Amino acid sequence: MEPITLTTERLLLRTFTAEDTEAVYRSCQDPDIQRWTTVPSPYEWQHAAEFTEHMVPDGWRNSTMCTFAVLPREGGPLMASVSVTLRTFSGTWEIGFWTGKEHRGRGVMAEAVTAVSHWSFIRLGATRLEWRAEVGNKGSRAVAEKTGFQVEGCLRAALLNKDTLRDTWVGSLLPSDLHLTSTHPYLPAGP
């Protein structure tokens, strides 16, 4: 798949390039990003270069991970990252994201997640988007809930982060939650 660009009222979402390496490196120095995401800690220059020059383009090329740099629509610095990663060939993709410290609390990530979610259902044919975050990551959970994800529970030892298994919250978003049609019919369990 070729990388694409999405726009929202305030944001431009495009693929990362090598020119973004410095901005990714700086953003990922934030202790909260290192604490709550699976980025390496300490986060070194080569981690950012591997991400922008290999991981992101390989994901697009293999159609297994679509990662977007989030920037102001009218131009400006990197604000965040959001990606969807194929989890099952039945159409389940997992959404993941981080926001630079100076851009939190302004609705940037909710706006980006909404755009990527719509795109995932329409363009990727996703039948389900999953959101997962380590239990306690209240910022991530707030974004998920604001964008319509239904928190489904807690999975024990479901996240390996910094060589430690951690409990995770899990939630989902379905096409019907956004008033979109799914590629397959859905038969929910009865009461």
Side-chain angles (χ1 to χ4, degrees):
M1 173 183 310
E2 288 296 317
I4 59 101
T5 299
L6 303 173
T7 56
T8 68
E9 182 179 330
R10 299 182 299 159
L11 305 174
L12 172 73
L13 289 79
R14 59 153 174 83
T15 192
F16 282 92
T17 67
E19 289 78 34
D20 297 310
T21 302
E22 174 67 30
V24 170
Y25 172 75
R26 281 194 321 269
S27 292
C28 290
Q29 296 309 303
D30 177 15
D32 286 335
I33 290 176
Q34 290 186 28
R35 166 62 182 92
W36 293 112
T37 73
T38 57
V39 302
S41 180
Y43 195 83
E44 299 174 358
W45 179 266
Q46 69 263 21
H47 297 127
E50 171 65 23
F51 177 74
T52 60
E53 297 174 29
H54 299 288
M55 183 184 239
V56 170
D58 290 349
W60 281 101
R61 187 172 26 264
N62 299 328
S63 301
T64 56
M65 184 173 71
C66 305
T67 305
F68 297 89
V70 181
L71 304 112
R73 185 172 180 166
E74 304 304 322
L78 176 70
M79 301 168 81
S81 173
V82 61
S83 66
V84 287
T85 304
L86 183 63
R87 291 296 177 218
T88 69
F89 289 104
S90 64
T92 298
W93 291 73
E94 183 177 336
I95 196 160
F97 46 84
W98 55 257
T99 307
K101 187 173 195 159
E102 62 276 15
H103 304 290
R104 293 181 193 142
R106 298 178 13 214
V108 167
M109 189 48 64
E111 191 172 327
V113 165
T114 297
V116 172
S117 297
H118 275 89
W119 176 81
S120 297
F121 290 129
I122 293 167
R123 174 64 177 89
L124 299 177
T127 57
R128 171 183 166 94
L129 281 179
E130 283 189 358
W131 157 83
R132 293 174 184 233
E134 183 180 337
V135 171
N137 188 343
K138 294 177 183 175
S140 183
R141 184 171 177 152
V143 169
E145 290 177 336
K146 184 176 184 177
T147 56
F149 281 79
Q150 300 296 310
V151 177
E152 297 173 330
C154 177
L155 303 174
R156 298 182 310 147
L159 174 68
L160 182 61
N161 190 5
K162 318 299 187 273
D163 292 323
T164 302
L165 289 169
R166 301 165 192 263
D167 294 345
T168 62
W169 287 320
V170 63
S172 70
L173 187 69
L174 304 178
S176 57
D177 296 332
L178 301 178
H179 308 289
L180 299 171
T181 303
S182 179
T183 56
H184 300 287
Y186 169 47
L187 179 63

